[in-house]
Amino acid sequence: NIYFHVGNDSAALRHYQLSLDLAERIGNTSSVSTALGNIGLVHKRLNDYPTALSYYQQSLLAAEKSNDIPQLSYSYTLMGNMYEELNQNTKAYDYYYKGLMSSKKTGEKSGIARGYVSLGLLKNIEKSYAEAISMCGKGLAFAEQAGAIEHKIEAYECLYEACKAMGRKGEALEYFEKLTALKKIVQIEEAAKDLERMEFANMMLQ
């Protein structure tokens, strides 16, 4: 949603609530899950963690009722992110693992990449660097197959930090260089998108 990306949280909440109302009226549980998750994202950005968690839980319940496995996987990931933010790593790991297993059922490469990288980043926090390298290495492979740039960046960050912590300087430098190069490409693309979003937002306000 453009309002979320330009940081207009109140407008984003209104838009997501309208999406939720529509999805509920037509009985589309997958879209209900998506809208609830998006509302949760806004509240998380506002540092209202209890409200964000409540919406994530509702999003997960809706996803479980639907037959949309990719949405279910994403809802598990949102829950994992929230518990990681709350320093409840055991719960975070459980949800990330469920998300990974859900994506594996359908073979969705982007979801598999997200699952492995999320687990690897968590292992870095726990200083289990060898496991982090294993997880993020797998995640990187799937991200490359899927063309999932966001997950590639996260994988490079994970691998760089883990290799650096283990004293594997050559590998750490290699991942850092790849990370830097990819981030520059994304920054250029995002700058162009941000300009378009701002122009559109200004048009909507006129």
Side-chain angles (χ1 to χ4, degrees), residues 2-175:
I2 187 170
Y3 297 114
F4 181 81
H5 287 292
V6 299
N8 190 336
D9 293 323
S10 59
L13 282 173
R14 288 195 299 271
H15 174 84
Y16 291 144
Q17 185 62 52
L18 288 172
S19 298
L20 175 60
D21 293 342
L22 176 60
E24 288 177 333
R25 280 201 302 272
I26 65 177
N28 188 326
T29 52
S30 178
S31 294
V32 167
S33 175
T34 299
L36 288 166
N38 286 336
I39 293 172
L41 284 171
V42 178
H43 284 288
K44 183 184 177 186
R45 188 161 70 182
L46 293 170
N47 295 319
D48 184 355
Y49 291 165
T51 302
L53 181 58
S54 175
Y55 276 105
Y56 287 167
Q57 289 169 334
Q58 294 175 65
S59 174
L60 179 57
L61 287 173
E64 288 173 339
K65 293 177 182 177
S66 75
N67 292 317
D68 189 341
I69 301 301
Q71 178 59 32
L72 177 61
S73 175
Y74 180 62
S75 294
Y76 281 135
T77 301
L78 289 178
M79 291 290 291
N81 288 341
M82 190 73 261
Y83 281 117
E84 183 178 337
E85 195 78 24
L86 295 170
N87 295 315
Q88 297 184 37
N89 290 350
T90 300
K91 286 185 177 180
Y93 188 94
D94 287 343
Y95 280 110
Y96 286 149
Y97 185 77
K98 287 178 180 179
L100 173 60
M101 291 299 103
S102 295
S103 293
K104 280 189 170 185
K105 287 181 181 178
T106 60
E108 186 209 359
K109 290 183 172 60
S110 180
I112 295 172
R114 181 180 62 234
Y116 274 125
V117 172
S118 296
L119 289 168
L121 288 167
L122 197 59
K123 288 298 179 182
N124 260 351
I125 293 172
E126 296 173 346
K127 299 183 179 181
S128 299
Y129 300 119
E131 290 182 81
I133 290 172
S134 175
M135 293 287 188
C136 287
K138 293 175 182 177
L140 177 59
F142 280 102
E144 288 174 337
Q145 292 175 39
I149 294 177
E150 178 185 354
H151 301 323
K152 282 181 68 174
I153 288 175
E154 292 172 337
Y156 283 142
E157 289 175 338
C158 171
L159 291 163
Y160 163 66
E161 292 294 342
C163 287
K164 183 176 70 171
M166 294 184 73
R168 293 160 61 168
K169 296 181 181 179
E171 292 172 85
L173 178 59
E174 180 182 348
Y175 287 124

